[in-house]
Every structure is written in C-alpha cells, then in structure tokens.
Amino acid sequence: MTDTQGTNRPRLGTTVLGYPRIGPDRELKRAVERYWRRETTAYELRATAAELRAATRAELRDAGLGSVPGNTFSFYDQMLDAALTVGAVPARFAGHAAGDPLDLLFAMARGAEGVPALEMTKWFDTNYHYLVPEIGPGTRFRLAGRTPVDDVVEGREQGIPTRPVLVGPVTFLLLSKAADGAPDGFAPLDLLDPLLEVYAQLLTELSWAGAEWVQLDEPAFAADRTPAELGALRRAYARLGDVAERPGLLVAGYFGSLGEALPILADSPVDAIALDLVAGTADVDAAGALTGLRDKTVLAGVVEGRNVWRTDPDVALSRAARLLGSAGRVEISTSCSLLHVPYDASRETTLPADLVERLAFAREKVTEVVLLGRALDGEDVTAELDAARARAARPAGRDDRVRARLDALGADHYRRADGEVRAKAQASALDLPTVPTTTIGSFPQTGEIRKDRAALKAGRIDDAEYVRRMRAEIERVVRLQEGIGLDVLVHGEPERNDMVQYFAEHLAGFAATEHGWVQSYGSRCVRPPILHSDVSRAAPITVGWSTYAQSLTDRPMKGMLTGPVTILAWSFVRDDQPLGETARQVGLALRDEVRDLEAAGLRIVQVDEPALRETLPLRRADQPAYVDWAVDAFRLVTGGVADSTQIHTHLCYSEFGEVVAAIDALDADVTTVEAARSRMEVLDALGSGVPRGLGPGVYDVHSPEVPSAATMTVLLRAALDRIGAQRLWANPDCGLKTRRETEVVATLRNLVAAAAQVRAAG
Ligand code: GLN
Ligand code: ZN
C-alpha cells in the first residue's frame, strides 16, 4: 500500500545515509591489492565486491531499516565513480578506455604507465580523501557508466529494494577542479546544465530499474556558498524535479546545517531533504517558516555518522519531534554516511567493557536509528529507550588532578617573551649558521623497523631488545646526518608507527581498537585511536629516545612531538565536553613532555600540527572559536620553556590563506611548511605574516625525484629575496618516512650544498 501522508511518494522510512564499504575485515582492501599485484583476476575481484554489497544490503534490511541505501560500494572512491558515470575522464587516460573499465578506474585513481593520477584531497573536514575530477570547457558529459543502475538491479535480484546514493550534481562540480589548460575564469560549475541532462537521464534509468527513491548528496552546502552557487542549487533541483519518469528525490545535506540552501530546497520540487541535526539545530529553527517543507519528507539526521558514541535518545527524539509540525513526514536517519566509522563495536573484546558500552559503530548506529524510528512512530519501546539512555549516560573517566592543574593555569602559562628577545637568546644558545639546514623528523621506515615492532608486539623480542634495535637505528640516522652536514638533527622517529597513534598509545584516556578500521583513501584504511576519558601522561614518552639521540652528537637535536590539534583531528574524540577542553588536557600532557625534553638538554623542540588547517570549520562564522582553542592548546604545550629553547612547528600544506593569522598566533620560533610544488608561492601568504623563522620546503617528499642542488638553490634564493637570510631555513616539505634511503641521502646532500651556496652568495 502506498502511504501518501504529506508526500505523494511511497514512504521513505528510517534509514542511514551511507555505510562502510571496506568489509568488516578489510576484505575489499585485500581483494583490490591482490588484483593490483595481478594475483587475481578482475572476475574474482568483482565477485568479492558483489559479496560485500550483498552482505551490506542484507544486514541493513535485516536490521529493520525502512529504506536501504544502495550504491554505497566503491572500488576506490565515490567522487571517482561519479566522474566515470558522467564520462568526466581526462584525455590523458584515453589509452585506458578500451580495456576493462576497472583498469581505467584504477588508472585514474593511482596513475599508470607514466600517466599521473587524479589529484587527491580531503573530503570536507573528515579524514576520508576523494579524487578530484578535472573538468574543462571541452568536457562532454554523457551517461558513460551505469554502476548505480546495476546496483539497483542487483539489489532487486537479491530481493532487497535500495535507494541509490549519488554525489549530487552541484557538489560534484564544486569539488571538481578546472582542467589544466582551461581558460582563466572557467569554473566547472559553468557546465552545470549539460551535467544536469546526464543526471536526468540517469534518474529515468534508475526509475526503470525499479528505484523508488534516489539520494543526491550535496554536502558542499554545509560550507558558505556564493549567491551564484546557491542559484546553481536552485536550478539543479528545478531541472531534476522536472524529470517525468524519476524516483523520489532525496537531497542530503551533511557535515553541517544547510543554512541558506534549505529554503531553496524547500521551494524546489524535491520530495525529501536530509538534515544533519547533530551539527546543530539551526535548520530545525528555520524549518518552521518554510511552507515548502509541508509536502516533503524530512530526514532528521540525529544519529552521529562520524563519531563513535552512543546516541542520547532524548536529545535525538526531541530534535526530530521539533520538525513534526514543519514537515509532511519526519523520518530518523544518521547525520551523514557511516563511511567514517568502523563496522562493529561489539567485536572490540579487548577494550574495557564499560567503554564498549559507550560505543556505537556502524552496526550499533543502525540499531539506534531503527529504535528511534519506532519511538517516533509511536510504538511502545520504553524498555529499549531506557537501556539506550543508560548507555548514553555512562560518564567518561575523570581525572581530578588534571582538571585542577588546568584550572590553576594563568595567562603567563601560555605566553613567552617577545620574538626578538627569544631570537637573541636562541642565537647564542644554538650558534647556527644563516639558512640552517634540517629535516622534518622521520627518516625512511625500513621493513626491518616494522618487523622489529611486530616482533615486540608478538612477544618474539623483549623491550630491552626492541630498545637496542631502535637505538641502533637512531645512531645510524644521526651519523648519516652528521656525514651529510645537516645543522639541526632529528632522531628519525623509528619507534613511531604513526605520529598520532604513538602518542595515543602512551597517554591515559585513549584506547586502541582491534577491528576499528575506516577507509582513508582507496585501499588505505586507518584505525583511529579513541579519546574516551580525561587525558594525562603517566610518564615521559619521547624523552628517552631524544636524549639518547642528543647524547650521540654535539649538534642540536630536535625533540619531536605531535600537537594537540592533530592528535584530536586523527582520533575519535569524546563529545561530552567542548573540543577546546579536551585539547587543553592533551596540551597539558604535552607541555610536561616539552619541559622534560628541555630539562634533559634538548635545545629545540618541534611540535607538529599538520592538521591545523584541515579541521578548520566549514563555515567562516565558526572559525574564530576554533582558531582560539587550537592556538591556546598549542601555546599551552610550548609556553613553558626558556627563551633560549627554540620551538619549531611543522604544517604540511601550502594554501594558508585562511589560517595565516592562526599560524602567526602559534608564536613558534620556526615554522616549516610545504612549498616545493607551489614553487615558494606560500611565501606570498606567510612572508609578512610570520615574523619568525620560516622553512619553506624545497624537496617534494611525494615525488621519487631527487632535486639537484641547483634546483633547490633557485628555490632558496626566491625565498631569501622575500623573507631575508635571517629568517630562512632549508628543509624538505615533510617527513621522509615514505621515501627510499638512497633518494633521501642524495637529496639531503644536495640540500646542504644548496644552502651553502645561498649562504656564500648572501
Ligand atoms: N615529524 C613528522 C615526520 O617527519 C611530521 C609528519 C607530518 O607532518 N605529517 O614524519
Ligand atoms: Zn608534513
């Protein structure tokens, strides 16, 4: 029976906006990588993929969702899939177009036979990365792929109708980049109209295949948008609403409120709108005045899609209930796709039971959605709601000592002397040449090092043996740097699996999962630590390694820490207190570490904050508050040292526009940044903004190429012209962890030679 209450479409039902695709045990990663190594055939890879899709559909149907999302699978990335569907394949891949479509897909994702891959970048403020489509005036959109249609058919054959999920046309174009060679002033959005015709055709084919609903994701509208971009949204959904034979249109906003986009969608002919109500209630507040919503379904995204905590059913239901008067129908959903959380918290049997009780991964979240949906429908689920309340109310672990210490901090804990005063003190303490040479921290992580770590974990070697082996590696790296002639040395970070996980493993308040994998990009998965309670440092973490390294040499050795913003950004973080408060706890622990390093004789400490920009809130109005706490936390870490101790920070990107002021406010003595690929353009932004030491990277660590001394000299001279010899440092773009030893040695020799030339001439 068709339920038409408030909408002329079949009822949508409770749902989730998307689901993990990698498989509970990373089956997809294994299958894809075997295929890349040519150990299996495309046929076998497709069979694994079909099994994963079938299992996901069955699981979501069996859990009791009213609407099962489809097309959530991808061999690599949903933006790449969208590009292939609409025929946005750059000409350089023409040679790959004739073979198996999988090979074209992987060529675009990873590059092949000298043809460079599409660029990859962060998906909004998550740790997922998508491939950036390249659109030029010559791009001719056409319905070139039918994966979404095939997926609907596959579901039907399984007996499970699905609602295919697609990247919406406007977000697709806003996230694409203008192809190389496109004329100035061209923007991908210029091609909206022809793209809409392809989407229109796709909608019709989906309808023929039996889809009753389709979901078009438009998360780009969680950020500030220009009137022209908002106009594009209006035009897009007027056109798609107009398609004669089409499924019901669900447009999903997520990663924030839709803001100005909401009235536009409310006035459009779309049938349903998904709102992210975890991000806030701004859209709920606005909904009452939007009469256009009265004949639409609104999905209340009240179950957090990108963090791992249980939902408070009272908060969730009251937010959803507030929509009841405004919308034709209200359904429960997640705030965004569940792609960003692991599969199943109940498998985490090594975690403390009371922590597991607090966790909800994808499976648990589906159960929450179903329960809340039943409650909203008026079913008597009192007992289940009581149980959910109890779990959501379980408190985080509390550490009164940490809280008391933080309460006692005054402004002087965050403040250092004037930059000039510090510079003088440091010059006499360190006695460095002009344009000092250094590296960012890590040296190549050899297979040997990884084997040693695995052996320690498996109990095949003991702690003492592990320490002996790592010390041997540190000594080797120190001698290597001395031989090359670098001025400021590093210990190479051999003891670190990962710059965040390492600290999470050594701080109280964090837990590591066993199966908590999430997709980072393509076949790459990460297992983010879970910051679940008050954070503290039981004992020094890096001091032993760094003092050992310093003991081997007279040259200054840099202590090496990951900053609080980055530690938070790459973990799942508790949401029961403001992020800034959690950042201060991490900051306090790291402050103690910095002071211990100083006391142990380290004269330079580097605090890496590569995530500073990526966690910047999407809307400008939210940015100042973020910058405030981020800067505060960094200054808490670094504000406790003597003037003569030099603080470095490192940031791994070159577009600083929005964060220049924040970087300046960090007040580090030396800032090293990525700059090689942008050929020092970064200095235009930072040159005047940061009046202290600056090391624009002259070696692109993502490339296997060894830059010559001449190449690096040119870059350094360009930098010197802009910021002067007194401030300039010579260093690579980023850590050397993923490079090969031979490349690193050759490059660093050239780097030292380049710095010497610049010095001699300057
Ligand atoms: N110190 C770290 C390293 O060199 C910094 C890594 C990073 O910026 N992502 O590996
Ligand atoms: Zn970096």
Side-chain angles (χ1 to χ4, degrees):
M1 197 190 75
T2 303
D3 179 340
T4 56
Q5 184 190 337
T7 158
N8 55 4
R9 294 276 165 186
R11 179 173 174 181
L12 188 50
T14 55
T15 194
V16 299
L17 297 187
Y19 209 67
R21 53 174 75 123
I22 55 177
D25 289 303
R26 289 179 298 156
E27 289 84 349
L28 181 61
K29 172 195 180 69
R30 298 215 174 83
V32 162
E33 290 179 356
R34 271 200 302 273
Y35 177 69
W36 290 344
R37 293 191 301 263
R38 294 296 178 222
E39 291 166 17
T40 52
T41 61
Y43 179 82
E44 288 167 286
L45 175 55
R46 286 198 171 88
T48 305
E51 277 169 35
L52 286 169
R53 289 193 294 266
T56 298
R57 281 186 210 106
E59 183 183 322
L60 295 180
R61 190 242 347 242
D62 295 348
L65 288 182
S67 176
V68 172
N71 199 41
T72 58
F73 177 82
S74 176
F75 281 106
Y76 205 95
D77 162 52
Q78 68 270 7
M79 279 291 285
L80 173 60
D81 295 346
L84 285 162
T85 299
V86 302
V89 176
R92 67 180 181 278
F93 298 103
H96 298 269
D100 188 312
L102 268 181
D103 293 332
L104 172 62
L105 185 154
F106 289 134
M108 286 170 73
R110 311 171 68 222
E113 292 137 35
V115 180
L118 297 186
E119 193 183 293
M120 189 166 68
T121 194
K122 289 240 168 195
W123 179 244
F124 301 91
D125 53 354
T126 72
N127 289 323
Y128 177 82
H129 303 70
Y130 71 93
L131 290 159
V132 184
E134 298 167 15
I135 310 292
T139 303
R140 295 283 168 265
F141 293 123
R142 65 193 176 87
L143 190 53
R146 286 180 168 71
T147 313
V149 181
D150 295 343
D151 191 74
V152 170
V153 173
E154 197 181 77
R156 268 196 22 219
E157 283 169 357
Q158 196 185 345
I160 305 177
T162 52
R163 176 190 85 246
V165 179
L166 308 170
V167 178
V170 189
T171 290
F172 177 78
L173 291 173
L174 288 174
L175 296 189
S176 294
K177 66 172 206 177
D180 280 349
D184 275 358
F186 172 85
L189 200 55
D190 297 348
L191 296 192
L192 178 62
D193 291 326
L195 181 64
L196 290 175
E197 295 317 305
V198 178
Y199 269 76
Q201 187 188 344
L202 178 58
L203 293 186
T204 298
E205 293 203 14
L206 288 169
S207 173
W208 290 343
E212 289 185 328
W213 285 92
V214 62
Q215 174 182 327
L216 294 162
D217 287 350
E218 295 287 4
F221 290 88
D224 299 324
R225 288 294 164 197
T226 64
E229 292 164 345
L230 290 162
L233 184 74
R234 185 189 309 278
R235 212 161 76 242
Y237 289 97
R239 171 69 188 99
L240 297 183
D242 205 32
V243 173
E245 273 184 278
R246 61 163 176 84
L249 283 181
L250 161 64
V251 175
Y254 51 84
F255 299 151
S257 57
L258 277 169
E260 290 176 290
L262 181 57
I264 293 173
L265 292 172
D267 276 345
S268 78
V270 307
D271 305 281
I273 301 170
L275 301 179
D276 176 348
L277 299 190
V278 171
T281 53
D283 286 343
V284 179
D285 299 335
L290 301 172
T291 49
L293 291 177
R294 303 231 170 104
D295 65 348
K296 296 193 196 320
T297 297
V298 174
L299 290 191
V302 290
V303 170
E304 165 79 286
R306 50 187 288 193
N307 207 341
V308 293
W309 309 108
R310 290 270 165 184
T311 306
D312 179 333
D314 297 321
V315 173
L317 285 171
S318 76
R319 287 191 180 179
R322 282 183 53 204
L323 285 166
L324 284 172
S326 321
R329 181 181 273 287
V330 177
E331 304 281 7
I332 298 290
S333 177
T334 50
S335 64
C336 62
S337 169
L338 295 172
L339 181 67
H340 311 291
V341 293
Y343 273 86
D344 188 350
S346 72
R347 289 181 72 195
E348 298 299 333
T349 48
T350 61
L351 293 181
D354 67 306
L355 175 56
V356 177
E357 284 280 301
R358 291 170 58 202
L359 296 176
F361 293 176
R363 275 189 191 151
E364 288 84 7
K365 284 172 188 289
V366 171
T367 310
E368 291 185 328
V369 164
V370 171
L371 173 64
L372 293 169
R374 291 171 61 200
L376 193 71
D377 274 355
E379 268 185 61
D380 181 8
V381 285
T382 318
E384 289 98 322
L385 285 179
D386 281 344
R389 257 178 219 117
R391 302 181 83 139
R394 280 177 180 264
R398 205 182 146 86
D399 185 332
D400 289 321
R401 230 190 92 251
V402 168
R403 289 177 177 267
R405 280 187 68 200
L406 283 169
D407 287 343
L409 293 179
D412 54 330
H413 287 88
Y414 297 83
R415 199 173 39 228
R416 304 188 66 201
D418 228 50
E420 301 281 307
V421 175
R422 278 150 36 197
K424 271 205 198 89
Q426 290 162 22
S428 62
L430 293 168
D431 192 26
L432 293 169
T434 54
V435 196
T437 52
T438 191
T439 62
I440 305 304
S442 58
F443 265 68
Q445 281 251 338
T446 59
E448 219 38 55
I449 296 172
R450 273 191 281 267
K451 264 187 235 146
D452 292 341
R453 197 155 32 245
L456 175 70
K457 211 174 160 215
R460 288 192 299 276
I461 59 173
D462 62 8
D463 264 334
E465 177 59 20
Y466 178 72
V467 170
R468 227 176 348 263
R469 292 184 190 183
M470 293 301 119
R471 284 189 165 198
E473 171 66 11
I474 289 171
E475 171 152 26
R476 191 185 72 78
V477 166
V478 169
R479 297 294 168 241
L480 183 69
Q481 295 171 85
E482 285 182 329
I484 291 170
L486 289 155
D487 300 308
V488 171
L489 309 193
V490 296
H491 77 286
E493 305 177 25
E495 79 289 2
R496 301 185 192 178
N497 37 15
D498 170 277
M499 65 186 292
V500 167
Q501 201 183 327
Y502 177 75
F503 287 93
E505 280 170 7
H506 288 84
L507 289 169
F510 285 87
T513 65
E514 242 182 313
H515 309 283
W517 297 97
V518 294
Q519 187 178 20
S520 171
Y521 64 88
S523 71
R524 266 286 266 281
C525 303
V526 294
R527 225 170 1 158
I530 299 179
L531 193 172
H532 58 82
S533 293
D534 284 355
V535 173
S536 64
R537 188 190 72 144
I541 301 169
T542 65
V543 178
W545 302 115
S546 288
T547 41
Y548 174 70
Q550 181 67 84
S551 76
L552 299 169
T553 181
D554 294 333
R555 302 188 188 202
M557 173 66 54
K558 285 197 271 194
M560 192 61 61
L561 305 176
T562 303
V565 175
T566 302
I567 290 182
L568 262 54
W570 297 348
S571 304
F572 289 118
V573 179
R574 58 192 287 190
D575 61 357
D576 60 337
Q577 64 180 15
L579 274 178
E581 235 169 90
T582 309
R584 265 159 46 92
Q585 295 184 350
V586 176
L588 184 64
L590 294 172
R591 176 188 180 91
D592 293 344
E593 185 76 10
V594 170
R595 291 171 59 125
D596 285 349
L597 285 166
E598 179 184 57
L602 279 291
R603 287 166 288 167
I604 305 183
V605 179
Q606 178 172 313
V607 180
D608 293 324
E609 283 292 22
L612 183 71
R613 195 200 51 172
E614 68 186 44
T615 11
L616 193 69
L618 299 177
R619 290 205 189 266
R620 272 183 292 277
D622 302 327
Q623 292 171 0
Y626 160 79
V627 167
D628 271 0
W629 71 250
V631 167
D632 236 45
F634 185 90
R635 293 178 63 148
L636 177 59
V637 176
T638 54
V641 295
D643 294 346
S644 55
T645 298
Q646 192 168 68
I647 297 293
H648 289 214
T649 190
H650 167 70
L651 311 159
C652 318
Y653 37 82
S654 56
E655 295 143 34
F656 291 97
E658 302 146 306
V659 282
V660 170
I663 294 171
D664 191 18
L666 296 180
D667 196 29
D669 298 303
V670 178
T671 303
T672 57
V673 297
E674 181 179 307
R677 265 191 289 187
S678 70
R679 308 205 51 89
M680 303 283 130
E681 270 164 33
V682 49
L683 296 169
D684 296 337
L686 276 190
S688 52
V690 179
R692 294 163 289 272
L694 190 56
V698 292
Y699 168 38
D700 174 4
V701 303
H702 302 293
S703 159
E705 240 172 90
V706 172
S708 67
T711 301
M712 289 189 277
T713 304
V714 170
L715 292 175
L716 286 173
R717 287 231 170 91
L720 193 129
D721 284 345
R722 294 193 224 188
I723 63 169
Q726 289 320 304
R727 296 176 51 198
L728 184 62
W729 284 67
N731 48 264
D733 266 354
C734 193
L736 305 170
K737 194 171 175 173
T738 56
R739 292 266 58 94
R740 294 192 345 208
E741 184 86 12
T742 48
E743 296 161 11
V744 163
V745 173
T747 301
L748 294 179
R749 282 192 208 290
N750 292 347
L751 177 86
V752 168
Q757 277 188 36
V758 171
R759 251 173 235 153

